Amino acid sequence: MIRHRPFGSGHPYSVDTEQRWPVDPVAGAPLTLGARATPDVVDVDAELVITQPTGETTEQRMPLTRVARTSRGQSIDGGHLASAQARLARSAGGWAVTFDAPPAGSVVRYRLAGRTAERAVLQRTRWFDTRTSAWTTAPDAVVATAGRSRVVPGSVSVLTDGERVRRVRFALPLATGEHVTGFGERFDVLDHRGTTLDSVVFEQYKSQGAERKTYLPMPFAHVVGGEGWGFHVRTSRRAWFDVGASDPDAILVEVETDAAAGETAVTVACYDGTPTAVLDAFLDEVGRPEELPDWVFRLWASGNEWNTQAEVMRQVDLHREHDVPVGSVVIEAWSDERTFAAFRDARYEPTEDGAPHRLADFEFPPDGAWPDPKGMVDELHARDIRLHLWQIPLLKARPHPTGQAKADALAAAREGVLIREPDARGELHPYRNRGWWFPLSAMPDLTDERAAQWWTEKRRYLVDEVGIDGFKTDGGEHAWGRELVYLDGTSGAEGNNRFPVAYAKAYGDLLRSAGKAPVTFSRAGFTGSQAHGAFWAGDENSTWDAFRWSMFAGLSAAVSGILYWGWDIAGFSGPLPTPELYLRATAASTFVPIMQYHSEFNHHRAPSRDRTPWNLAEQTGDDSVIDVFRSFAQLRERLVPYLAQEAAESIRTSAPLMRPVYFDHPGLETAWTHPLQWLLGRDLFVSPVVVEGESEHETALPPGDWVDAWTGEPQAGGQLVRAAVPLDRIPVYVRAAARPELRAIFAAVA
């Protein structure tokens, strides 16, 4: 057997063995045709028919040579599954040929043929057609602008085959001393000047800062330090940004498109003013956060091994025993992980038509994992704790679905609510997830209102009858490939980045329809996510690097309009953090919009890797962990009214709740020399300890009159301040003019 997929898997950072590369051939540049074949294939040829714009046609045959197999970036991103690396060893079966693409406008028609040792043709692929393109200068009008145009005159060029424009390039000015920030949630730096990056939703499982990939990109940025402005490339397609790396005086932008030659290919909105004015204009365009209830600012707690009702309640009891206030519990491992809608080991009759169940349809075994879900929720509510359940937007295919999972898969196909992709004959069939996690699963098209309602109605009983308060909307990154087709006809090139936005919206709409606040907790998103719930920074190890990366992520998300943001305190994966890392991270998390801890599933092996303070104290032998964690959790509880008030003010003014210093002081140099500091609302300034072993910490205070939150000592702003930082302290300063009750909150702890 021989296989060729022109577009490959759609992995944005890896070229697959069996694909064409580049997907859109560039005249005169190398063009590779790849294939996979079974072991009995001993040679592979490419049969080509090339028709040039002049009408001249040539036919030729080219042999392919053996190459090592790669797929879906296994050697690059690692993936979730332990089997990912094992697949790398399967290097046999890869074939490729590379040649120079013919002149622009040529049609390249090709198929691949494989032969066995007996020289008989074993199989041929179908014929594939592609047109070659070339980069050419284009009129400035190809890039439309909204607001004051800042596109550098004469900088526009397009990649075109003469009929369609595949990509467009242009430049924006970058003056000496200007800093460029934003681009959604970014883990590596605050100022991107001198770097390159792109905007595509991607699941980078850990090490996001090192790999410079993100779950939550946006083609939006602030340009700070000069006259003050910002820009938004109005597209959901992939875009690339060279921020002064190639040309120190320019931001070079490249955008995928599919426009008719000679027409507008992309629109760029430019906004003038302060960072707050820029963000305000951007949010006017893409949607604003809405005010969520005060309880979202209380401590969130979870662990993937809290996978029974008894364990959830045991952990809740331990919070009470240790006097650690908790406001929300997230249960990840609650469902059968086949339907993601039924509690594990619940007994019920499948609905063959895929119709939703009600609570009365389920029997919960008394000796099962979840003997009384509603009773558990009622008890949590009686303790003033909200409950959130984990979700994945997939219909699993492995193991082969049975029961309700099978009925749902058949119903989804029958009802036409799935994202689709073309098969080898060009016919559409349900898309199968190409990522590591839940491979081959089908995906409901949650960008479509009817499909979204079909999907969320299966979860309505959880909200209406069980009484849950929100959903952890995980795994919004599974749509890969530009050839995907959404129900409105949108291609994957346009729709894939939009999917996680629609995913959170669909669950928010379900909660809202039940009279509840639309509290979703997502890691993936894109432009428009600002209006849909809360976010966390995704999966990370318990390291100091990951701590710093997460702080950059929170600040860059905030300046891109994400109001409700948090992270897994000290990381959720790998060996337990040291007490020092755990408590420094806890201190920082006390002063970000969402404070939460979480831990990865470790198969209940001993010693436990739960990130609860009591487990960390037990495993490390350091009992002070509980005392210090308690003090910060109690401080956080007292800060809830302030945080709620400042969140409302942020929504009113567009100034981020968690905002870097440059937002208020764009010309202040220490905003860049000390980037991991922030204002929390109008009256708190936070400078966390993010370096191991630091006993004395330097804070670059912004202008104004401040008071040390712990000592009450006045501090004049605009200077560097050094202070001792024991593990139960984080440098925090209160604006001198703030209400006395805010300062009193810290006095109670001190």
Side-chain angles (χ1 to χ4, degrees):
M1 185 186 77
I2 183 170
R3 185 174 76 169
H4 172 72
R5 300 172 68 188
F7 303 113
S9 68
H11 191 296
Y13 300 108
S14 177
V15 178
D16 294 346
T17 309
E18 73 264 35
Q19 78 170 90
R20 179 174 73 230
W21 187 257
V23 170
D24 296 312
V26 179
L31 172 61
T32 298
L33 304 178
R36 289 192 186 188
T38 48
D40 54 344
V41 174
V42 296
D43 62 67
V44 179
D45 287 340
E47 301 171 6
L48 295 100
V49 179
I50 298 175
T51 303
Q52 299 197 24
T54 61
E56 178 185 352
T57 298
T58 59
E59 298 183 13
Q60 55 185 301
R61 183 185 296 272
M62 292 183 177
L64 277 67
T65 58
R66 290 185 184 272
V67 296
R69 275 179 45 180
T70 62
S71 179
R72 299 176 188 150
Q74 289 164 341
S75 62
I76 295 176
D77 58 73
H80 266 80
L81 304 182
S83 60
Q85 291 304 317
R87 293 195 188 103
L88 279 173
R90 304 175 193 170
S91 60
W95 298 84
V97 62
T98 300
F99 57 96
D100 289 340
S106 300
V107 175
V108 180
R109 193 162 199 256
Y110 66 93
R111 67 179 179 182
L112 304 176
R115 293 176 177 80
T116 62
E118 292 75 25
R119 309 303 296 170
V121 173
L122 178 64
Q123 184 177 345
R124 285 190 174 96
T125 67
R126 67 177 177 89
W127 286 100
F128 300 94
D129 294 285
T130 185
R131 289 174 62 91
T132 57
S133 300
W135 284 102
T136 182
T137 57
D140 292 348
V142 167
V143 178
T145 55
R148 173 186 172 189
S149 176
R150 290 182 179 266
V151 176
V152 175
S155 69
V156 178
S157 61
V158 295
L159 180 66
T160 179
D161 61 11
E163 295 181 359
R164 308 296 297 178
V165 173
R166 303 301 181 190
R167 296 193 185 190
V168 59
R169 289 174 177 164
F170 59 93
L172 299 169
L174 184 60
T176 300
E178 287 183 327
H179 307 269
V180 185
T181 76
F183 295 110
E185 184 183 57
R186 300 289 170 168
F187 294 77
D188 53 339
V189 290
L190 189 64
D191 179 7
H192 292 280
R193 185 162 189 153
T195 72
T196 60
L197 65 160
D198 68 346
S199 60
V200 62
V201 174
F202 184 71
E203 181 202 356
Q204 174 60 46
Y205 179 61
K206 302 191 287 193
S207 297
Q208 296 93 352
E211 296 292 340
R212 307 190 70 242
K213 303 181 180 77
T214 181
Y215 308 93
L216 209 170
M218 294 181 204
F220 161 77
H222 298 267
V223 183
V224 183
E227 58 184 277
W229 62 286
F231 65 90
H232 170 218
V233 183
R234 290 178 174 171
T235 184
S236 60
R237 295 174 182 265
R238 192 176 184 182
W240 293 261
F241 302 91
D242 180 320
V243 189
S246 300
D247 180 346
D249 300 321
I251 302 169
L252 306 179
V253 183
E254 183 173 326
V255 188
E256 287 185 347
T257 186
D258 184 25
E263 296 185 357
T264 298
V266 70
T267 299
V268 181
C270 295
Y271 321 107
D272 293 324
T274 65
T276 299
V278 167
L279 184 56
D280 185 59
F282 177 55
L283 294 177
D284 268 347
E285 181 183 331
V286 304
R288 297 179 172 277
E290 67 177 278
E291 199 169 337
L292 295 180
D294 293 5
W295 54 257
V296 302
F297 294 114
R298 302 178 67 211
L299 175 67
W300 295 52
S302 62
N304 265 351
E305 295 188 349
W306 302 7
N307 59 354
T308 65
Q309 183 171 335
E311 181 60 17
V312 168
M313 296 312 299
R314 186 179 81 87
Q315 293 293 348
V316 170
D317 287 342
L318 284 167
H319 280 82
R320 183 162 60 181
E321 176 185 328
H322 291 290
D323 197 19
V324 173
V326 59
S328 287
V329 167
V330 180
I331 307 178
E332 291 212 0
W334 68 278
S335 78
D336 53 18
E337 291 208 7
R338 295 171 72 85
T339 66
F340 303 107
F343 280 86
R344 187 175 73 256
D345 72 19
R347 298 169 184 160
Y348 62 99
E349 289 298 321
T351 57
E352 294 302 324
D353 61 355
H357 286 92
R358 303 299 291 173
L359 181 59
D361 297 329
F362 295 96
E363 177 187 348
F364 301 101
D367 58 349
W370 308 100
D372 185 7
K374 178 170 172 46
M376 176 183 65
V377 174
D378 289 345
E379 173 63 19
L380 292 173
H381 286 171
R383 301 191 192 193
D384 198 22
I385 299 171
R386 272 70 180 182
L387 181 67
H388 312 264
L389 297 181
W390 181 77
Q391 287 289 281
I392 289 289
L394 297 171
L395 290 156
K396 282 184 67 173
R398 290 181 175 175
H400 191 74
T402 59
Q404 190 62 56
K406 178 180 179 181
D408 287 349
L410 294 173
R414 187 170 59 248
E415 295 292 329
V417 297
L418 299 174
I419 299 170
R420 296 163 295 164
E421 64 181 335
D423 62 14
R425 298 181 300 278
E427 298 175 359
L428 294 178
H429 62 90
Y431 165 70
R432 297 295 179 179
N433 173 32
R434 299 168 185 172
W436 306 122
W437 208 18
F438 304 114
L440 302 180
S441 298
M443 289 184 68
D445 183 356
L446 300 181
T447 69
D448 178 83
E449 185 175 348
R450 179 181 66 88
Q453 186 171 6
W454 181 89
W455 180 260
T456 57
E457 281 300 308
K458 294 178 175 297
R459 289 123 179 99
R460 179 167 293 280
Y461 84 95
L462 296 168
V463 180
D464 286 351
E465 297 180 274
V466 178
I468 70 153
D469 303 283
F471 291 98
K472 186 171 185 176
T473 37
D474 199 358
E477 323 87 0
H478 295 302
W480 287 11
R482 77 182 200 182
E483 73 274 26
L484 271 56
V485 180
Y486 289 79
L487 292 176
D488 65 356
T490 296
S491 72
E494 295 177 88
N496 294 347
N497 279 341
R498 293 175 179 166
F499 180 86
V501 183
Y503 174 25
K505 178 184 182 298
Y507 279 78
D509 287 346
L510 170 63
L511 291 159
R512 191 181 284 107
S513 72
K516 297 193 173 188
V519 180
T520 53
F521 200 33
S522 310
R523 70 178 182 187
F526 193 70
T527 310
S529 287
Q530 293 88 343
H532 303 295
F535 296 82
W536 93 101
D539 298 339
E540 255 306 347
N541 281 323
S542 293
T543 67
W544 286 92
D545 279 342
F547 179 11
R548 289 183 287 271
W549 293 335
S550 297
M551 297 301 95
F552 280 122
L555 290 168
S556 62
V559 305
S560 302
I562 298 297
L563 193 158
Y564 300 98
W565 176 93
W567 65 302
D568 297 335
I569 290 174
F572 94 128
S573 182
L576 286 175
T578 63
E580 180 188 4
L581 172 57
Y582 185 74
L583 294 177
R584 294 300 193 198
T586 298
S589 193
T590 304
F591 297 95
V592 305
I594 301 292
M595 181 184 187
Q596 65 107 19
Y597 71 79
H598 178 56
S599 54
E600 191 175 42
F601 188 67
N602 193 40
H603 304 280
H604 297 283
R605 290 184 288 234
S608 170
R609 287 186 173 177
D610 235 26
R611 264 57 175 177
T612 58
W614 31 93
N615 184 59
L616 201 79
E618 179 181 346
Q619 301 303 331
T620 64
D622 187 343
D623 291 337
S624 69
V625 169
I626 299 176
D627 295 334
V628 176
F629 189 95
R630 178 192 303 114
S631 69
F632 281 119
Q634 292 178 350
L635 171 60
R636 175 66 176 216
E637 193 81 355
R638 289 191 289 273
L639 283 171
V640 166
Y642 171 78
L643 292 168
Q645 174 185 318
E646 293 303 305
E649 179 71 5
S650 177
I651 292 168
R652 186 183 72 82
T653 65
S654 298
L657 173 60
M658 175 188 181
R659 61 186 182 277
V661 174
Y662 76 78
F663 241 79
D664 290 13
H665 306 282
L668 191 65
E669 184 58 27
T670 53
W672 312 103
T673 59
H674 295 66
L676 294 183
Q677 302 182 146
W678 59 86
L679 291 137
L680 186 65
R682 288 166 290 183
D683 293 328
L684 292 179
F685 183 69
V686 185
S687 182
V689 177
V690 296
V691 176
E692 185 175 13
E694 191 170 75
S695 59
E696 187 178 64
H697 181 76
E698 181 176 272
T699 297
L701 275 176
D705 294 324
W706 300 92
V707 174
D708 186 306
W710 307 106
T711 68
E713 178 185 353
Q715 291 286 358
Q719 64 173 327
L720 300 179
V721 177
R722 299 193 67 84
V725 280
L727 286 178
D728 62 350
R729 287 292 179 266
I730 174 175
V732 179
Y733 297 86
V734 182
R735 197 177 297 277
R739 296 183 309 279
E741 54 266 31
L742 182 58
R743 291 163 61 179
I745 289 173
F746 293 88
V749 178

